[in-house]
Amino acid sequence: MSWEKLAQNRIEEAIASSEFEDLPGRNQPLNLDAYFALPPTERAGAALEAAHEQTTGPKEKARLSAQLQEKRVTCTRAMERRRRESAI
């Protein structure tokens, strides 16, 4: 079972047992200003991940897997660069 599936199962269990009922900010809009202030290379590839999950064709799945891996590497490198720059 994939990590994503394990995480999704745990989230569903927590929802079912009302573990998220008392979270701060519940039913409030998310402030995504900080997210959109990041360069595109550092943003999560959510749309790409969603497309990968929904794709069933092996060739398309492989193509999306390669793109997703490239996006993850690019993001990791950018985050590491920012971490080093902020430590100076």
Side-chain angles (χ1 to χ4, degrees), residues 39 41-42 73-85:
T41 56
E42 294 184 38
V73 168
T74 301
C75 183
T76 301
R77 286 180 178 162
M79 289 172 56
E80 179 62 24
R81 185 173 44 255
R82 286 188 66 187
R83 185 189 64 76
R84 278 182 291 183
E85 290 170 356

Side-chain angles (χ1 to χ4, degrees), residues 2-88:
S2 71
W3 287 108
E4 291 86 5
K5 188 66 175 167
L6 288 171
Q8 185 63 35
N9 287 345
R10 180 61 184 108
I11 291 168
E12 290 171 3
E13 289 170 7
I15 290 170
S17 63
S18 302
E19 291 180 38
F20 297 138
E21 293 298 314
D22 295 329
L23 292 176
R26 184 171 181 260
N27 294 324
Q28 300 296 316
L30 292 175
N31 182 347
L32 299 175
D33 292 341
Y35 172 78
F36 286 109
L38 292 171
T41 56
E42 294 184 38
R43 295 183 196 158
L48 188 54
E49 288 179 356
H52 181 266
E53 287 296 318
Q54 295 171 358
T55 300
T56 57
K59 284 186 178 181
E60 182 66 6
K61 193 121 180 132
R63 185 183 71 75
L64 290 171
S65 290
Q67 285 183 343
L68 193 53
Q69 181 62 24
E70 183 179 331
K71 177 78 104 177
R72 287 177 177 150
V73 168
T74 301
C75 183
T76 301
R77 286 180 178 162
M79 289 172 56
E80 179 62 24
R81 185 173 44 255
R82 286 188 66 187
R83 185 189 64 76
R84 278 182 291 183
E85 290 170 356
S86 68
I88 295 174

